[in-house]
Amino acid sequence: MAACNNNCEIRGKWKENILPIHYLVDADRYSDVMFSPNGEYLSLLRNGQLYIKKLNSNNEELDDSLHYKQLTNSSLHPIGLASGYGGGVYCWSPDSKSIIFVCNIEPKTIPSDFTNPSLVTMEKVQGMETKCMLDIASYPLQVGGIYKVDINKGGLPMLLCENRDLSKRTIFTPRAWSTGLENEIIVTCHSDEILEDRYSIQCVKVNNLNNTVVGKTFAIPKEWDLQSDIIFHPTNQKYAACIVWRKPYMQWDSSYVLVIKSKLECSLFDVCDKEDLMEFAYLPIKKTVDEENTKGVLCAQVQFSPNGEFLSYITDEFSDNEQLVIVPFVAEQVDREFFTPNYPFKPFVLNSNKSVAVQPWVTGSYFYSWLTNDTLVSVKNNMGIYNLEIIKLKLGHESKQVIDYSTNTILGGYVGYYSQVRGFGDKFVCNFSNFETNSTNFLCKVDLEKLSLTSTKVLTRNGFEFDENIKKQLSPPIVIEYPLSSCDEMKGKAILYLSNNNKEKSSYKTLEDILNDSEARNLPSIFYIHGGPNGLSFDSFSPFTQYFTSRGYLVVCVNYRGSYGFGRKYRQCLNGNWGVFDALDSCDAFKYLNETLQILDPSKSVILGGSAGGYTVSNVMARYPNVFAAGVNICGVADLQITKNIHTLESHYYKRLIGPLNEETKHIYEDRSPINHASKICKPILVLHGEKDEVVPIEQTFTLVNRIPSTTPCSFLSYKGAGHVLYMSGMVLKDLLPRVDYFLQQQLKF
C-alpha cells in the first residue's frame, strides 16, 4: 500500500473545517466510576490504573483541593476495561478500607518492554510508518488473578485468587461481601479455569488481620453451564442470587435468576461448596424451554435494594422489550413464595414503551442502580437513542409490595457498556456520551421528591471538550427505518450521520433536512456494520463516524435483524440466519437510500465493519458484488468452522446463529464462510487485522486474502502487537482512520 498523509486532501464542497484526527482519538481512558460503600470516596480506572478521591465533608461533591490518589501500578498490575467480556473489574470491600481488582496479565509474564499503557512500537509496513500500541485493549487478555489493595496502608496488592491456566484467561466480576465479623470479607468472582467449557463461581474468605485466605468453588447445580453477577443479600448472608443459563443458549436466549439459600443457620459461604446443603429457586418460576426456544426469556443484572427488601432484575418475559422487574424479598415471604412449588408469583413490572438498556456480553455492568430503598435510576433505549430516567416506587402500606411508580427523564445520551451506573442516596455516577460529547463521567445529584436533576459535575472526560464551532461540524444521529426485501412484517433499522461542515449552520438533524437540501445528493457513503453479531449501533460519540462525516461521507450505521435493543423478536431473527439476514439487510439499507431516497452516489458507497461486521463485509462483497463499490474488513471472521479459540462465553454461540456443526450441517458452515467465496470478490477491498488477535485468528485473514483474485484491488495490513478490537486503541486509530480514508480516495476517486 502506498503511503498516505494524515491530513488527507479535503474533497467536494467540504473545503474547510475538517476535524483533526487528534481531536477524535487522543484521550486518556477513564471508566468504572463508583462510590465506596460508606459514600466517602469515588474510585475510577484511568488507563488501566486504579485511583480514588475523597468526597467533601458533606459527601455532596468532590473536594477539589485533593488530588486523585493512585493505588496500582500499571506495569505490575494492569487492570483491564474488560476481561473475557466481563465488566466490573474491581469492587470495594464492604468496610470501604480496600479495593479488590482483576489483574489482566500475570505479573511474572509481563513482557520486558511493557512499561506503561501508552508504550508505542514503530515499524515500517508496506512503505508506511505504522504505529502500534501494546495497551490493555489490544494485548491478549491473560488474567493473572484477583488482588486486594488497602487504600491507606499502601504497599503491594495481596493475591486472593490466582489463575493458573492462562489459556483460559477468564476471571471477572469480583464482588465483596461482609461476613458480619470485623476484618473479614468474602470475595466472589467468576472463572472458567476450574471447569472445562463452563464457568464456576469462586468464593474466597479473607481475614484482613492475618491475611489468611480460604477458597471454595460454589456448587451451582450442574445443569447450568454459565452464570454471572452473583450477589449476596446485604443483610442476611443465608441468601444470594445470580443469573444462570445453559448451552447452547446465550444469556439473551434463555436465562434465569437463581435464588440460593443456605439450609443451615449460617452464611452461604460455609456451605457453598456442598449442593445438598443449599436450596435453589428460579425466576421465572416455570423453567420450560422448548427446542425452538419460543418460551425462553432474558434475565440480567440482578440486584438487591439497599435494605435487601426487594430484588430487581431485567427481563423480556412480560414484553417484547426488556423491562425492569421488582420482587419483594422479605425472608419469610421468600421462603414461602420462592421455595414452594406452584406458589402464585406476582412480580411488579415497570412497563415502558422503551427498553431498559442491557448488554449481556458484559457481565458485571449495570444499566440501572438503586439510590434509596424506593428510588432507582435507569438507562432507557429507544431505537439506539439512550436516556437516563429516575424511578420512584410507590409502596403498599401493609406489605413490602410495589403498587405503582413514576418516572422522569433527567439526562439524554449513551451510558457505556463498561461504565456502570452507580447510585448512593441522592447521588449517582454514570458515563455519558452522545454524538457531540466525548465519553464523560459525571457525578449527578437529584431531588428525590421532584425526581429532577439538581446538579452535575464532570469527573473525567475521555478526550477533548469541543467548543461550539467544533460542535457545529459534528453530525447528530438520524434514526430511520427501511423496508426489507425478505420480510414484510419488520423494517430494518439504521442511524444516519451527515455533516454539512458549515460554521454558520448546524449539521443535518432530521432526514427531512437532508432531503430538502438539493446539495445533499450523490453522497459518498460508508455503511458501518456493527459486531456481535447481536450487537448494536447507538448514539454515542464515535471517532470513526465524526472523522468520516467531517470528510464528506454519509455514515450509515446498520442495525440489521439480530441487533440488540429493538425487542426480542427482532433480535432472535438472526438465530439460524447469520450470514444471511445481516447481509440482506445491509444491502436493503443501501437500496432504500440509493433508489428510494436517491441521495447516494453508488460508485462511492462503501461497506465497512469489524469482527462479526467484517464477516458481513466479506460476505456481501462476495455474494452481492454489484451493491457496494468497495469494502473494508477489520478483523472479520472468515472461516466459521474454526472455533477452537472461541472463549467459554461464546463457545456454543454458532449453534444458535447457524446450527450445530455436524456432517449434515457442515455444508451450511462451508457455504456461509467467506473464505469459500473469496474468489467472487471483484471490488476493491481493504483488510486490516491485529497480529495478536485471539478471538479471530489472523490465519483466517491470510487464507481469505490469498483467495481473492489477483485482478481485484486488495490491500492487507496486520498491526503488530494489536488484538481483536483495533478501534479500541487510540494509537491504532491514528493509523487506521487515515489509512481507510486514503484507500477510499485512491479506489473511489473521491
Side-chain angles (χ1 to χ4, degrees):
M1 179 184 294
C4 69
N5 190 315
N6 280 6
N7 296 315
C8 293
E9 181 183 356
I10 303 167
R11 302 165 295 282
K13 68 177 184 178
W14 291 267
K15 297 296 184 183
E16 56 184 28
N17 306 330
I18 197 166
L19 284 173
I21 190 171
H22 70 273
Y23 271 25
L24 304 174
V25 301
D26 279 356
D28 286 326
R29 300 182 68 191
Y30 298 92
S31 68
D32 292 80
V33 183
M34 64 179 73
F35 293 98
S36 61
N38 61 11
E40 293 184 4
Y41 292 91
L42 279 175
S43 56
L44 55 83
L45 294 180
R46 174 181 178 266
N47 298 337
Q49 300 176 63
L50 187 59
Y51 291 79
I52 62 171
K53 190 169 186 178
K54 194 175 180 64
L55 292 163
N56 69 12
S57 57
N58 295 323
N59 286 0
E60 292 184 355
E61 57 184 56
L62 292 178
D63 188 341
D64 291 326
S65 65
L66 298 175
H67 297 290
Y68 280 99
K69 178 182 179 181
Q70 182 176 337
L71 295 181
T72 60
N73 185 316
S74 64
S75 63
L76 294 176
H77 299 92
I79 305 173
L81 297 182
S83 47
Y85 290 135
V89 292
Y90 79 92
C91 67
W92 282 84
S93 64
D95 58 9
S96 300
K97 294 180 179 179
S98 59
I99 292 179
I100 294 90
F101 65 91
V102 173
C103 173
N104 258 10
I105 303 175
E106 188 178 21
K108 63 175 177 285
T109 66
I110 296 176
S112 59
D113 59 351
F114 192 96
T115 56
N116 61 69
S118 59
L119 175 68
V120 178
T121 60
M122 309 296 295
E123 68 170 349
K124 295 286 185 179
V125 180
Q126 298 180 5
M128 179 179 175
E129 189 176 60
T130 302
K131 298 180 179 179
C132 305
M133 185 169 84
L134 288 172
D135 64 0
I136 302 305
S138 61
Y139 202 85
L141 292 175
Q142 298 175 323
V143 178
I146 302 291
Y147 290 78
K148 179 175 74 73
V149 59
D150 294 328
I151 67 171
N152 294 316
K153 294 181 180 179
L156 290 176
M158 172 186 175
L159 177 65
L160 303 182
C161 177
E162 183 178 15
N163 183 9
R164 293 170 293 277
D165 183 357
L166 291 181
S167 66
K168 295 295 185 67
R169 79 181 189 279
T170 306
I171 293 180
F172 57 92
T173 319
R175 293 287 183 267
W177 319 97
S178 171
T179 64
L181 300 177
E182 189 176 359
N183 296 312
E184 190 175 77
I185 62 173
I186 295 172
V187 175
T188 61
C189 63
H190 300 275
S191 171
D192 67 353
E193 182 196 16
I194 305 298
L195 304 174
E196 184 66 28
D197 202 30
R198 293 178 61 199
Y199 282 159
S200 65
I201 299 176
Q202 300 301 305
C203 292
V204 179
K205 182 185 287 186
V206 184
N207 187 303
N208 292 323
L209 289 179
N210 54 24
N211 287 335
T212 57
V213 175
V214 178
K216 295 182 178 182
T217 299
F218 214 113
I220 295 295
K222 293 180 175 59
E223 63 179 303
W224 305 110
D225 301 305
L226 298 154
Q227 73 312 109
S228 68
D229 302 342
I230 185 166
I231 55 170
F232 278 70
H233 193 276
T235 61
N236 190 336
Q237 294 297 307
K238 286 181 60 177
Y239 298 96
C242 66
I243 304 296
V244 293
W245 65 101
R246 63 170 68 92
K247 297 175 180 178
Y249 301 112
M250 299 298 285
Q251 184 180 348
W252 52 86
D253 290 321
S254 179
S255 53
Y256 301 89
V257 176
L258 175 65
V259 181
I260 311 166
K261 173 190 173 185
S262 169
K263 290 182 178 179
L264 306 180
E265 293 300 320
C266 63
S267 167
L268 258 180
F269 177 84
D270 296 329
V271 299
C272 70
D273 56 343
K274 299 177 178 60
E275 186 175 343
D276 61 331
L277 296 181
M278 295 184 288
E279 290 186 72
F280 303 95
Y282 296 92
L283 306 174
I285 295 295
K286 296 179 181 179
K287 296 196 296 175
T288 302
V289 182
D290 60 23
E291 289 296 322
E292 287 75 33
N293 194 41
T294 57
K295 297 179 182 179
V297 300
L298 158 78
C299 294
Q301 299 184 16
V302 60
Q303 297 186 51
F304 285 109
S305 61
N307 61 5
E309 293 183 351
F310 293 101
L311 179 143
S312 57
Y313 61 99
I314 298 171
T315 184
D316 57 10
E317 179 185 6
F318 306 99
S319 168
D320 188 55
N321 293 323
E322 297 83 5
Q323 305 293 351
L324 191 59
V325 170
I326 310 292
V327 181
F329 204 92
V330 178
E332 298 78 10
Q333 188 175 355
V334 168
D335 292 345
R336 182 177 69 249
E337 296 186 8
F338 286 18
F339 296 95
T340 302
N342 303 319
Y343 191 91
F345 175 68
K346 296 180 180 180
F348 187 85
V349 183
L350 278 65
N351 286 306
S352 171
N353 59 351
K354 303 178 200 175
S355 295
V356 178
V358 62
Q359 181 50 278
W361 280 294
V362 185
T363 59
S365 289
Y366 288 100
F367 285 79
Y368 76 95
S369 178
W370 289 85
L371 299 180
T372 66
N373 294 316
D374 63 357
T375 311
L376 305 93
V377 62
S378 173
V379 184
K380 294 297 184 71
N381 167 36
N382 185 19
M383 297 287 286
I385 307 299
Y386 284 66
N387 59 59
L388 205 62
E389 291 185 351
I390 187 168
I391 303 167
K392 186 76 169 181
L393 305 178
K394 182 179 180 181
L395 306 180
H397 295 293
E398 297 181 0
S399 65
K400 297 297 182 181
Q401 181 74 40
V402 181
I403 59 176
D404 201 359
Y405 72 102
S406 55
T407 67
N408 185 40
T409 299
I410 55 176
L411 196 63
Y414 172 70
V415 178
Y417 287 170
Y418 301 114
S419 296
Q420 318 198 21
V421 181
R422 298 286 190 179
F424 185 87
D426 62 351
K427 300 179 292 298
F428 67 89
V429 289
C430 70
N431 181 273
F432 171 88
S433 176
N434 61 17
F435 74 96
E436 62 182 8
T437 306
N438 267 306
S439 179
T440 303
N441 289 300
F442 281 101
L443 170 63
C444 303
K445 188 174 181 180
V446 297
D447 186 318
L448 297 175
E449 297 301 322
K450 297 180 180 179
L451 304 187
S452 60
L453 193 63
T454 59
S455 66
T456 60
K457 184 180 182 68
V458 174
L459 301 176
T460 60
R461 191 185 305 276
N462 292 4
F464 289 93
E465 181 177 6
F466 301 124
D467 61 31
E468 291 305 313
N469 286 331
I470 291 293
K471 286 184 178 181
K472 287 181 179 179
Q473 301 171 52
L474 299 176
S475 307
I478 300 172
V479 177
I480 67 165
E481 295 184 312
Y482 58 91
L484 299 173
S485 59
S486 59
C487 179
D488 294 330
E489 299 178 0
M490 295 181 177
K491 289 189 175 183
K493 323 291 183 184
I495 302 178
L496 312 184
Y497 296 87
L498 179 63
S499 173
N500 64 15
N501 217 280
N502 189 322
K503 278 187 177 181
E504 305 304 322
K505 179 182 176 182
S506 296
S507 297
Y508 305 104
K509 296 181 179 179
T510 66
L511 183 58
E512 287 70 26
D513 289 342
I514 298 176
L515 297 178
N516 292 334
D517 186 350
S518 59
E519 293 187 18
R521 297 293 183 272
N522 298 317
L523 297 170
S525 56
I526 296 177
F527 285 71
Y528 172 75
I529 314 301
H530 63 68
N534 292 112
L536 168 69
S537 285
F538 41 79
D539 169 31
S540 71
F541 180 79
S542 166
F544 165 82
T545 297
Q546 302 303 337
Y547 180 87
F548 284 104
T549 57
S550 79
R551 283 151 175 80
Y553 290 93
L554 167 69
V555 175
V556 183
C557 297
V558 179
N559 282 313
Y560 50 78
R561 280 171 291 173
S563 301
Y564 212 93
F566 302 95
R568 181 178 183 83
K569 187 176 180 181
Y570 193 83
R571 183 181 68 246
Q572 298 297 91
C573 282
L574 202 62
N575 285 348
N577 295 299
W578 189 36
V580 181
F581 286 178
D582 50 312
L584 286 173
D585 292 5
S586 300
C587 294
D588 286 340
F590 169 84
K591 181 179 179 181
Y592 175 69
L593 294 171
N594 183 52
E595 298 179 8
T596 303
L597 300 186
Q598 299 182 350
I599 60 175
L600 302 184
D601 181 346
S603 68
K604 294 179 175 58
S605 289
V606 184
I607 183 169
L608 178 151
S611 189
Y615 165 78
T616 303
V617 168
S618 296
N619 259 340
V620 169
M621 296 290 288
R623 295 176 180 274
Y624 307 101
N626 296 321
V627 178
F628 294 98
V632 180
N633 173 351
I634 305 172
C635 300
V637 178
D639 187 352
L640 296 174
Q641 295 189 71
I642 298 180
T643 61
K644 63 182 180 180
N645 290 317
I646 294 180
H647 55 75
T648 301
L649 183 63
E650 293 189 1
S651 60
H652 291 251
Y653 197 6
Y654 285 8
K655 291 182 180 179
R656 303 296 296 160
L657 295 170
I658 304 166
L661 177 59
N662 51 47
E663 288 301 317
E664 295 181 359
T665 62
K666 185 177 179 180
H667 70 282
I668 300 176
Y669 277 72
E670 292 175 347
D671 182 60
R672 296 190 193 175
S673 294
I675 59 168
N676 298 321
H677 302 279
S679 61
K680 301 175 186 176
I681 297 176
C682 58
K683 297 291 181 64
I685 185 168
L686 172 63
V687 184
L688 306 171
H689 212 115
E691 288 185 2
K692 297 292 185 180
D693 192 336
E694 292 190 345
V695 179
V696 180
I698 195 171
E699 288 76 16
Q700 291 195 24
T701 295
F702 291 154
T703 304
L704 176 76
V705 170
N706 287 332
R707 294 184 182 182
I708 295 174
S710 59
T711 55
T712 298
C714 175
S715 295
F716 169 66
L717 176 67
S718 61
Y719 284 87
K720 181 181 179 180
H724 182 55
V725 189
L726 293 179
Y727 39 81
M728 285 185 67
S729 168
M731 294 303 296
V732 172
L733 274 179
K734 276 191 173 182
D735 174 81
L736 186 149
L737 293 177
R739 188 177 292 277
V740 171
D741 192 19
Y742 181 74
F743 174 81
L744 298 182
Q745 285 185 64
Q746 296 299 301
Q747 300 300 329
L748 305 183
K749 309 303 179 185
F750 172 53

